[in-house]
Amino acid sequence: MDNLNTLTRFDLFRVFLRLLFMQGLLNRRGMQNLALANALAPVAGKIDAGRVKSLQSRHLDFFNCNPNFVPVIVGGLLRLEVERLAGKPVSDNDIQYFKKSLAGPLAAAGDMLFIGSAKPLALTCACIFAIYKFPIGLLAVFLLYNLTIISCRLWGIYFGYAKGWELVDFFTGPVFQRLLGVVHGIGAAVAGIFVGVVFDRVPQTGPWVLVMGAVLLGTTLFALRRNVPASWLAIILFPISVLLSLLVGRW
Amino acid sequence: MSFIVELSLIAGLLAIDDRAGWQSLLAQPVFAGSLVGLVVGEFQVGVAVGLVLEIIWLSILPMRGQRRPDQVAGAVVGAGTAGLLLRLTADPRILLITAVGILVGLIVGEVTGRLLSPFNRFQNVVLGRVDLRNSSRIASGLLGLQLASLVYIFLVEGLLVFTFLSLSLNVTEWLTGAVSLVGSQGWLRLLPIIGAASLIHLYWQHSLKRVLVMFTVLTVLVLWIT
């Protein structure tokens, strides 16, 4: 395992730093290919020794994954590159296969975990704190979320580098699926609390709002099922509210 | 004028975080609105505008293929308009101005979301045409491209926010005179229901709806008892 010392923890940390702003190089043709090649720059000198084609130009093919899971794949592919440098039989095709076999599933899993669960969960918590005018709670949500995301990315690159090919087994195993289920469940629970807070406040504002609220809830659910954005409903509701206030006189 | 420039610069930085960075949540309306409120000196109004925008946009996830409103521009212009109006005019009708700020934020978010599409397409096309395979200075080329991309995002968002914030301050002065306090009050009371419906829609899946309903009922019960 001595060959793993080719790249130090600091080298991997520099790669991680470059991955923080990777979405700036997103493009339709190669998606994250430019960002991936850019992130490999700090370690290219150590891995390129004696090779005709540079490390960066070998990784300019199409690549797309959830940005929070890209460090895991980058760590894994750096491990394979280092193993090849140490004389192990790893070809360019093996590395391409490794990237492709992980990028697809991790993109879907990352979207579900981070965009579909963790982010709405954090934002729902932030909204509850904002409703109760508790700015420290807002700050805590912000710090906790960023700590989670950053540490997940940092852990990802070290974990990927330590595991190499074993990454495929880890992410297809039951542990990850269970984690996804737990985060989803917590998200639904916090969403339930938020809906409860909103439902509790509506009757306090008078019978007109209660009736209108019930109608609006049904209309919004119906519209959302037909892919009408909620923001459009909110905008349309403004003139209706003003008109109703003129007709009814008060809310 | 200096506030408008300041807020435009903030919007540019938030856009970098949202579109190129690790999406730290700072660009989300509830946080962006609070930040703008702090800068303008009307924190509570900033939080209120950001909160309502967040509630309404909560179910729009940045997944593939989904058209999103420009939440950064919406939050900065919405909270900025309300905050600056209160600060500059010392108008006592805080609720009305908050409602107008939210309406402006919603409209600006939708409009700039569409206006951004050609700018994003241009950036995509330019980056897609880059071929560094045979370049001898691939490392410096990529780093330069990344920096250029960040500057581009910053400038586009900054200019959009500058334009819409200048416009909205003039329009809202008229709007606050034309709209009744009662109507906007009713609207403000109803908006959270749209947010609640969005969340119900988001989590209404086979296994999760039971958890959602259970926690809703529990919360209502606890709040009624206390």
Side-chain angles (χ1 to χ4, degrees):
Chain A
M1 284 292 162
D2 281 344
N3 60 338
L4 278 180
N5 294 334
T6 308
L7 298 182
T8 61
R9 286 181 79 82
F10 184 63
D11 288 330
L12 294 174
F13 183 72
R14 286 168 69 203
V15 174
F16 154 80
L17 285 182
R18 288 224 178 191
L19 286 170
L20 284 179
F21 289 92
M22 63 176 298
Q23 292 299 84
L25 287 172
L26 193 71
N27 64 89
R28 259 180 218 165
R29 200 174 70 167
M31 296 307 277
Q32 294 164 330
N33 63 340
L34 297 176
L36 175 63
N38 182 40
L40 295 176
V43 293
K46 285 191 175 179
I47 291 178
D48 272 342
R51 288 189 66 87
V52 180
K53 212 176 171 188
S54 75
L55 174 72
Q56 284 173 292
S57 57
R58 287 201 301 277
H59 290 287
L60 278 172
D61 293 322
F62 180 90
F63 176 71
N64 190 31
C65 189
N66 180 282
N68 294 316
F69 274 144
V70 170
V72 180
I73 299 177
V74 173
L77 76 87
L78 283 175
R79 162 77 178 250
L80 297 186
E81 291 281 1
V82 166
E83 282 181 356
R84 172 157 64 180
L85 201 66
K88 282 197 176 178
V90 180
S91 67
D92 277 350
N93 284 342
D94 289 337
I95 294 174
Q96 285 303 328
Y97 176 74
F98 173 80
K99 265 162 63 180
K100 279 181 186 160
S101 60
L102 271 177
L106 282 188
D111 282 358
M112 275 196 282
L113 182 64
F114 294 104
I115 301 173
S117 302
K119 201 172 177 182
L121 170 65
L123 289 173
T124 314
C125 288
C127 286
I128 294 171
F129 286 129
I131 286 173
Y132 286 107
K133 294 179 181 162
F134 189 56
I136 296 168
L138 268 179
L139 189 67
V141 169
F142 177 74
L143 293 178
L144 205 63
Y145 179 81
N146 280 291
L147 195 71
T148 310
I149 294 291
I150 297 291
S151 52
C152 180
R153 285 189 178 202
L154 193 58
W155 165 83
I157 197 157
Y158 293 127
F159 183 72
Y161 190 67
K163 292 282 176 186
W165 277 110
E166 291 169 39
L167 276 177
V168 181
D169 299 331
F170 179 80
F171 282 102
T172 48
V175 179
F176 187 69
Q177 295 303 322
R178 228 173 286 151
L179 173 74
L180 209 60
V182 169
V183 179
H184 255 115
I186 297 172
V190 175
I193 294 171
F194 176 83
V195 174
V197 169
V198 172
F199 283 0
D200 175 65
R201 293 191 154 214
V202 172
Q204 298 167 9
T205 49
W208 270 105
V209 178
L210 192 62
V211 174
M212 281 293 290
V215 174
L216 185 63
L217 186 70
T219 314
T220 310
L221 284 172
F222 179 79
L224 286 172
R225 281 193 163 201
R226 272 147 190 78
N227 292 326
V228 177
S231 45
W232 289 13
L233 290 173
I235 294 169
I236 294 166
L237 193 65
F238 186 79
I240 296 174
S241 278
V242 174
L243 205 67
L244 272 176
S245 74
L246 290 175
L247 293 172
V248 180
R250 62 189 292 270
W251 277 90
Chain B
M1 190 66 175
S2 67
F3 270 123
I4 298 179
V5 175
E6 230 171 276
L7 294 182
S8 306
L9 294 177
I10 289 173
L13 291 175
L14 294 180
I16 289 179
D17 173 46
D18 189 41
R19 273 166 241 151
W22 67 94
Q23 300 190 329
S24 72
L25 291 188
L26 211 54
Q28 291 299 129
V30 67
F31 291 102
S34 309
L35 186 67
V36 169
L38 262 180
V39 171
V40 175
E42 295 287 349
F43 181 67
Q44 289 302 339
V45 173
V47 174
V49 174
L51 167 66
V52 177
L53 293 176
E54 186 68 72
I55 288 172
I56 290 165
W57 284 330
L58 199 56
S59 66
I60 305 171
L61 305 174
M63 298 265 204
R64 287 150 211 194
Q66 195 162 19
R67 184 190 276 275
R68 282 199 304 160
D70 182 0
Q71 302 190 349
V72 174
V76 173
V77 175
T81 304
L84 285 176
L85 266 184
L86 278 176
R87 194 189 163 99
L88 300 175
T89 61
D91 195 323
R93 299 168 300 168
I94 296 174
L95 207 62
L96 176 69
I97 289 175
T98 306
V100 169
I102 292 164
L103 181 70
V104 166
L106 283 171
I107 294 170
V108 169
E110 290 296 327
V111 173
T112 47
R114 276 162 176 73
L115 284 178
L116 269 179
S117 293
F119 288 105
N120 291 342
R121 215 174 301 133
F122 173 74
Q123 187 188 9
N124 251 312
V125 169
V126 172
L127 287 173
R129 280 189 188 155
V130 171
D131 190 6
L132 293 165
R133 256 166 236 279
N134 300 316
S135 168
S136 55
R137 294 192 305 181
I138 187 167
S140 58
L142 283 169
L143 198 60
L145 265 180
Q146 191 173 34
L147 286 175
S149 175
L150 298 186
V151 171
Y152 178 77
I153 292 170
F154 176 83
L155 286 178
V156 169
E157 190 70 25
L159 280 173
L160 280 174
V161 167
F162 182 84
T163 311
F164 279 98
L165 201 52
S166 313
L167 270 174
S168 71
L169 280 173
N170 291 318
V171 175
T172 44
E173 267 191 50
W174 165 81
L175 202 62
T176 47
V179 174
S180 72
L181 180 63
V182 184
S184 53
Q185 210 170 12
W187 184 63
L188 274 183
R189 282 172 181 165
L190 288 173
L191 284 182
I193 292 171
I194 295 182
S198 299
L199 273 180
I200 293 171
H201 175 72
L202 191 67
Y203 286 103
W204 203 255
Q205 299 162 25
H206 186 67
S207 55
L208 294 178
K209 62 183 170 193
R210 269 183 245 152
V211 180
L212 181 84
V213 172
M214 195 173 78
F215 273 85
T216 303
V217 174
L218 264 175
T219 309
V220 172
L221 279 176
V222 169
L223 290 173
W224 275 356
I225 291 165
T226 55

